[in-house]
Amino acid sequence: MTFLRVHYTELDGYELAISRGNVLDVEPQFNGASGRVQMDAPVEQLVDQFVEEGYESHFALVYGDYVDDLKALGRLLQIPVKVYTD
């Protein structure tokens, strides 16, 4: 699973924040779209980094590993990319 935040600040402009994890095969916790993901990096570390960077709480999620594709997109659009992994 790939997580993406398109972050924007008046000072720095756009930035792509990317992380990845694996979807766990568990029973849904509630009705609707739900699931559990094991992040590649320790979740406490990710939360601390996201808060320090000022990222908002919503990320786009997609099944599959698209980190390299998103890094290429950042280069193409000349947008800084930060990848958060272990």
Side-chain angles (χ1 to χ4, degrees):
M1 174 145 272
T2 304
F3 294 75
L4 169 67
R5 172 77 205 166
V6 179
H7 183 66
Y8 178 81
T9 65
E10 293 283 333
L11 180 63
D12 299 321
Y14 286 101
E15 174 183 280
L16 302 180
I18 305 166
S19 190
R20 64 167 68 96
N22 293 304
V23 178
L24 302 177
D25 187 16
V26 297
E27 291 293 321
Q29 293 178 275
F30 51 86
N31 291 335
S34 69
R36 287 194 170 211
V37 175
Q38 175 67 49
M39 301 301 293
D40 282 3
V43 73
E44 296 87 2
Q45 174 184 319
L46 285 172
V47 171
D48 287 346
Q49 290 173 324
F50 294 163
V51 169
E52 287 174 13
E53 294 290 343
Y55 298 147
E56 296 84 356
S57 60
H58 294 85
F59 282 71
L61 311 172
V62 64
Y63 285 105
D65 185 348
Y66 294 96
V67 173
D68 290 338
D69 297 300
L70 291 169
K71 287 167 40 178
L73 178 64
R75 283 191 303 272
L76 179 70
L77 298 174
Q78 298 180 348
I79 297 173
V81 175
K82 291 187 180 176
V83 179
Y84 296 87
T85 60
D86 189 18

